[in-house]
Amino acid sequence: MQVGDILRKKTARVATVRMNETVGIAAQLMRASNISALVIKDVVRTEGNTAVGMFTERDVVRAIAEHGAAGVNLKISQLISVQELVSCSSTDTLEHVRHVMNKNHIRHLPVIDNHSLIGVISIRDISTAFDDEAMATQTVFAA
């Protein structure tokens, strides 16, 4: 099974936040969308509006734990270090993506095809897909 198979079942909207937004705004966006991670976008001169990272519930907790209540007013850019973005493509297998997540200790990956953000896949999405596949296999053998 591939990442694209999961994305076809999910809503097409990808929740994003800009680097200059505050932790508080990011937390409100996550709450309003009932999600636990946002794709961080930044304006890059050569590429325009581009994904540069992920901002998660863990980042919100870390900001408050390290800075107290003032943590909600910090800019996302003050908390993250933009390194090489860990991502996947829609043609990657779920086994490969699960390995990448485990290796990097992350639970969400942006899905990028042809330099465009097309979705986000979570460890929960992968687990559900494997569970569904196992149930389908059991049903076939039970019949």
Side-chain angles (χ1 to χ4, degrees):
M1 188 177 291
Q2 295 181 328
V3 170
D5 299 327
I6 291 178
L7 290 184
R8 281 188 279 285
K9 297 174 186 174
K10 293 179 73 168
T11 60
R13 186 177 160 272
V14 179
T16 63
V17 66
R18 296 201 182 278
M19 296 234 345
N20 62 348
E21 292 292 353
T22 65
V23 170
I25 294 293
Q28 289 173 354
L29 288 170
M30 285 188 273
R31 176 66 184 113
S33 299
N34 195 29
I35 56 175
S36 58
L38 299 165
V39 176
I40 303 169
K41 288 194 144 187
D42 194 15
V43 176
V44 177
R45 252 183 245 158
T46 57
E47 299 174 27
N49 200 3
T50 185
V52 295
M54 296 294 294
F55 191 79
T56 69
E57 292 171 328
R58 289 179 181 176
D59 296 314
V60 174
V61 170
R62 190 183 57 174
I64 294 168
E66 292 176 3
H67 302 279
V72 297
N73 296 317
L74 293 174
K75 303 276 188 206
I76 290 173
S77 60
Q78 293 174 272
L79 295 173
I80 66 152
S81 60
V82 178
Q83 301 163 349
E84 187 171 333
L85 177 65
V86 179
S87 64
C88 64
S89 75
S90 64
T91 57
D92 285 336
T93 65
L94 298 187
E95 290 84 3
H96 171 73
V97 172
R98 184 172 60 180
H99 171 75
V100 169
M101 288 178 168
N102 285 336
K103 178 182 163 197
N104 291 283
H105 306 285
I106 55 179
R107 297 181 295 166
H108 301 86
L109 270 183
V111 183
I112 299 177
D113 283 349
N114 299 318
H115 306 289
S116 293
L117 176 67
I118 63 164
V120 173
I121 189 164
S122 71
I123 196 68
R124 179 181 292 160
D125 295 330
I126 294 170
S127 178
T128 299
F130 283 135
D131 287 350
D132 291 348
E133 193 172 56
M135 290 298 288
T137 303
Q138 288 176 357
T139 303
V140 169
F141 287 123

